[in-house]
Amino acid sequence: MKKVFVLVLICLLGVVFFGCAPKKIVQPQQPAVTPQEPRERAMEVEPERKTSEEKITEQQLAKIETKEVETPKYIEEKIVFEDIYFDFDKYDIRPDGKPALHSLADWLLKNTSGRLVVEGHCDERGTNEYNIALGDRRAKATRDYLVALGVASGRVEMMSYGEEKPQCTAQTEECWQKNRRAHFVILKEKGK
Amino acid sequence: MKRYRAKDNKHRGGSNRKPFILLTLCSILYALSVLFSAEAKVYIDISSPAFKRLPIAIPEFYGPSGKEISDIIRDDLEFTGLFLNIDRAAYIETSSQPFNPKNWSPIGVEAVVKGSVKEERELIVLVSLYDVFEGKEILKKEYKAGRDLIRPLSHTIANDIYSTLTGEKGMFRSRIAFVGEEAGKKDIYLMDWDGKRVSKMGLIKDIIVAPRWSRDGTKLVYSAERNRQWAIYLLDFVNTREKKVFSSTGTNIVGDFMPDGDYFIFSSSKDRTFDLYMMSLKSQNTIKLTSSQSIEVSPTVSPDGNYIAFVSDRGGSPQIYVMKREGTDTRRITFEGSYNTSPSWSPKGDKIVFSGRRGTNQIFIVNPDSTGLTQLTTQGNNEDPSFSSDGRYITFSSDRDGVKGVYIMRANGESQKRVTLKNIKAFGPRWSPN
């Protein structure tokens, strides 16, 4: 029985001695005056510490090869159509844009050779990525309107530029309005 | 006494095993205690909201470039907000003198970093970290690096000091990728998190949208427009290669990587309206995750890979939603304001940071269950936020100083500072995962 007690005692002592450092200690407040005499460090005989070493390297980034050899297959015709405009964060066609769309549709129905690109643009106030989505929706709403007016859907492409190609860079509502637009470009195949 | 003994004797048969069990128990306890005592003492409990800043002294390192190296270490530690840097003017002991705690405790210093530098074919820096209270050395290490890697070298030392004192991994060697524009030309740029060592990739694109890191930090996926086509590209830093991985008619925008590094998610209007898709780089398989008539854009994957946060205007205005990765169980998490976009998860998955419009665009954090909305910025327009790998910092873009630039701040909104120079118009920053 005594043996058991001794064992328990040894174990407890072991736990107290070696296990007393809790996982996290927040440093106690530093005394304001000079520190006390060097503490007793009988228990802290540390083995000679071996200095660890580290060699710092970095992956050298070689120049990335950009393989973008595609050249545009189409060129822009020099025909200018009126832009149509949108409200902030909206993509429905406003009544003031409809006359321009009607005359564009008329032109497309008379001139059947070129392809139309509807570009959707936004003002800078929204965030970049959402603006690209919004520009896409403006282009789609515009395209849907033209198709409803009889333009063959296969002739109308959509392209969103988000806020990346502003017409105007002042921070005024007048300028922002100019940027919230659908812009029209007629493409012709190269060499034709 | 006798009675007890008798009782003891009576039960002797059954208690024969007791010493053995006790012994086993004790050995387990003992082993555990040794394990725990081997774990380092933590000087700053950074998980505690009431931590005290640790007063630290970093005297100029002795030897060539000693000042530059020790200044970088000091600036790194200072930005964390966890240390109280004691001014060098108060020191009476230099890096080359032997450490004496009596020189430090009167000025309130609790930890001292000393170092000496030798310049041979490369820089060799011997660093010691001292605990003033205990009067002992708690870190001693030698670092070697080419002269051109003096900043990564110093950041590595700062990482070791940080982890010795906090028990957590430092982020001082992390980098930030962003889209930059100089003289009207856009490119993807990489820089150290502190804005130094800026380099550009040399990509030929017209419009580039925020790049996204793979979880291992070896790849970036990004979307770009060129010749009237939106495509998704992969930059592979191991093979230093660029590859077009997805294109179609319509607009295609990433997105985020799944944790496995093979699948990535993106948003595409290839089927007329924006929806979310997942694609495997290896098999090129594409899975459609959402089907709606509204805009679904800017998907970001939770750290465990099980949830996707994204922006949708299905409720009439752009708001942030969370769904399971399969596209089910969708719920809205932002309810204040009519324009909330650009979500990004914290590395622990307990927060989502995003840009919300309140007259101007500001950075907010919110819990994935839609509680705990907190605004972190107030000046100018602030967009494209993302967390550092340890979740303690956030990078974002801002126009508060006129030219759009990349900023960093602590995750509670403190210490906001610009890290890119004004000669580059910079946006869409993403903190590297390592």
Side-chain angles (χ1 to χ4, degrees), chain A residues 4 11 18 25 35 49 52 54-59 66 76 91 125 127 129 136-137 143 160, chain B residues 22 26 37 42 122 137 141-142 144 197 212 228 230 237 242 251 269 293 298 313 341 357 361:
Chain A
V4 175
C11 288
F18 297 94
I25 299 175
R49 191 195 283 271
S52 55
E54 184 172 345
K55 166 97 176 154
I56 285 86
T57 54
E58 190 172 60
Q59 202 197 329
T66 269
E76 288 184 20
Y91 46 83
R125 288 178 296 165
T127 51
E129 235 172 81
D136 185 274
R137 288 309 293 256
R143 176 187 178 277
S160 175
Chain B
L22 270 170
C26 279
S37 65
V42 170
E122 52 190 358
E137 189 176 61
K141 194 168 162 182
E142 187 177 85
K144 290 180 183 170
R197 301 198 308 144
R212 310 292 154 93
R228 298 183 185 281
W230 277 102
F237 293 118
E242 187 198 30
T251 309
S269 64
Q293 290 302 303
S298 302
D313 74 336
T341 63
R357 189 163 180 82
N361 295 317

Side-chain angles (χ1 to χ4, degrees), chain A residues 97-111:
Chain A
K98 287 177 182 172
L101 292 180
H102 283 268
S103 54
L104 174 60
D106 288 345
W107 188 91
L108 286 167
L109 293 170
K110 280 180 206 138
N111 301 272

Side-chain angles (χ1 to χ4, degrees), chain A residues 106-177:
Chain A
D106 288 345
W107 188 91
L108 286 167
L109 293 170
K110 280 180 206 138
N111 301 272
T112 50
S113 68
R115 294 172 13 151
L116 175 75
V117 180
V118 182
E119 296 179 358
H121 296 268
C122 305
D123 73 31
E124 59 171 20
R125 288 178 296 165
T127 51
N128 290 32
E129 235 172 81
Y130 190 76
N131 268 343
I132 290 167
L134 183 64
D136 185 274
R137 288 309 293 256
R138 285 180 178 162
K140 182 179 180 293
T142 309
R143 176 187 178 277
D144 289 349
Y145 197 89
L146 291 170
V147 170
L149 292 175
V151 178
S153 61
R155 280 183 72 196
V156 190
E157 286 173 26
M158 298 180 291
M159 182 68 216
S160 175
Y161 288 106
E163 63 180 83
E164 307 280 342
K165 293 192 171 179
Q167 281 285 78
C168 174
T169 53
Q171 302 208 349
T172 60
E173 173 48 36
E174 195 196 352
C175 182
W176 290 325
Q177 176 61 90

Side-chain angles (χ1 to χ4, degrees), chain A residues 10 12 26 42 67 96 99 102 104 106 117 127 154 160 190 192:
Chain A
I10 289 173
L12 278 176
V26 178
K67 287 187 291 180
D96 65 350
H102 283 268
L104 174 60
D106 288 345
V117 180
T127 51
S160 175
K190 249 186 183 173
K192 279 193 182 173

